[in-house]
Amino acid sequence: MRIVPTKGPLGASIEGVDLSVPLDEGTLQAIERALGDHGVIRFVGQRLTPLQLKTFSANFGELEINVANVHQEADAPEVMTLSNIKVDGKPIGLGDAGQGWHTDMSYSSMVAFANVLYGITIPRRDGRPLGGTQFADMAAAYDALPDDVKGRIEGRTATHDFAKFWDMMRAAPGSTRPPLTEAQRKAKPPVSHPLVLVHPISGRRVLYANPGYTIRIDGMSVDESDALLAFLFEHQLQERFLYLHEWTEGDVLMWDNLRTIHRAIADYTADEPRLIKRCQVMATRYFAH
Ligand code: SIN
């Protein structure tokens, strides 16, 4: 296994490992360490069935079964389809062309540790890949905060709400997301998490707030919370913290949700097909239920 880091704050390519077969403990530990070191890792040239994607992902914790999944794989309900492709006029997956910045599952009482995405069809124009996934490094963003802001957020919690991001995405042009039902809203009530997490692998402090789901810093007035969140949301998106993954078919991209926020880039059209399969690994290995 060869790990080739990018020059930026996040990202490494991993060559020489086949994710379709069971991996030994040493290899799994090396992958977890690489994720802790680089935040976003890419395994090149993979060929996986949905069941193999699920089996690989499950090495790192419990997998989420997403309530919004459009197409459920018979032997792997944990695998979600992300796609703008329609068959007989019907979407085969959740089909947002791009997204705003967020952290998956920060709205859940058990947050996500990692995402594992398998790129099957990648849109291209003039030979250039489209629909990239962009990341921002929340460990570097925390380190770069002014000391007085570090003091203001230390020991604080913030509230995250699933409906904030869903409703934002539904309002975007071309969205195929249906409105959340009352039952879905009730199943995902807002939750609070620490604004500063100590990362379970690296031990680094991480800013855990994202524009997609974070609605309020607990215990502050609405005005104070809005102003501080606006500052944090602007601070965390500085160029020096960013990394763009440009997809190639066969990539498996795994990222650390505790350390990063991300978004899918909306630079392709409904006629340019994109098909990705995804598993979300919950942080059950690191945090108590
Ligand atoms: C995600 O947020 O998990 C999907 C990102 C992507 O489609 O690139």
Side-chain angles (χ1 to χ4, degrees):
M1 187 166 118
R2 203 167 90 88
I3 302 175
V4 185
T6 68
K7 290 192 174 57
L10 294 165
S13 274
I14 301 192
E15 294 159 9
V17 57
D18 176 1
L19 304 185
S20 71
V21 297
L23 298 174
D24 61 64
E25 202 46 43
T27 305
L28 291 171
Q29 280 173 13
I31 291 172
E32 189 183 35
R33 243 189 342 267
L35 191 63
D37 288 345
H38 304 291
V40 182
I41 52 181
R42 167 195 182 214
F43 300 90
V44 295
Q46 302 295 321
R47 278 177 74 88
L48 299 181
T49 63
L51 183 58
Q52 288 165 338
L53 177 63
K54 165 185 159 169
T55 305
F56 168 69
S57 306
N59 286 308
F60 301 95
E62 273 176 39
L63 303 182
E64 196 221 8
I65 298 185
N66 197 298
V67 292
N69 201 2
V70 174
H71 163 79
Q72 210 162 73
E73 309 285 348
D75 53 357
E78 299 85 350
V79 173
M80 185 156 183
T81 303
L82 306 175
S83 187
N84 59 352
I85 298 172
K86 290 186 179 159
V87 174
D88 298 331
K90 291 205 187 86
I92 64 163
L94 200 60
D96 310 307
Q99 307 162 324
W101 288 98
H102 65 287
T103 305
D104 288 331
M105 291 183 69
S106 76
Y107 54 78
S108 162
S109 52
M110 177 50 69
V111 298
F113 162 52
N115 271 25
V116 188
L117 268 65
Y118 173 44
I120 299 169
T121 306
I122 305 304
R124 256 193 199 79
R125 214 178 291 151
D126 304 325
R128 202 175 64 80
L130 304 170
T133 311
Q134 193 175 29
F135 298 88
D137 183 354
M138 292 304 101
Y142 176 83
D143 289 346
L145 281 172
D147 284 345
D148 67 304
V149 177
K150 284 183 180 162
R152 286 176 72 197
I153 64 174
E154 189 62 35
R156 291 268 181 191
T157 59
T159 301
H160 301 247
D161 188 355
F162 177 74
K164 179 184 182 190
F165 188 70
W166 189 274
D167 292 343
M168 229 154 61
M169 293 307 304
R170 243 177 72 67
S175 171
T176 58
R177 290 186 185 222
L180 285 177
T181 62
E182 214 36 56
Q184 283 170 324
R185 282 182 196 269
K186 280 215 179 87
K188 292 185 185 293
V191 295
S192 287
H193 296 296
L195 250 181
V196 180
L197 291 180
V198 176
H199 196 278
I201 304 176
S202 65
R204 289 180 72 183
R205 289 176 117 65
V206 167
L207 173 61
Y208 196 72
N210 67 87
Y213 294 113
T214 313
I215 56 170
R216 178 82 191 262
I217 299 177
D218 302 325
M220 285 186 179
S221 71
V222 173
D223 286 354
E224 193 187 356
S225 162
D226 285 353
L228 187 47
L229 282 180
F231 170 82
L232 294 173
F233 293 158
E234 194 179 333
H235 169 85
Q236 68 189 172
L237 292 179
Q238 292 173 59
E239 192 64 36
R240 59 185 163 147
F241 308 138
L242 302 184
Y243 165 66
L244 172 67
H245 175 71
E246 298 198 291
W247 286 89
T248 299
E249 286 83 357
D251 280 350
V252 168
L253 192 69
M254 182 170 184
W255 69 80
D256 178 345
N257 264 300
L258 301 173
R259 168 164 171 195
T260 60
I261 63 172
H262 67 274
R263 65 170 179 166
I265 303 280
D267 57 358
Y268 59 102
T269 65
D271 302 328
E272 293 170 305
R274 184 178 194 260
L275 174 59
I276 305 258
K277 299 275 176 182
R278 175 182 83 177
C279 282
Q280 283 188 327
V281 184
M282 294 187 281
T284 41
R285 274 164 62 147
Y286 304 106
F287 301 123
H289 267 286

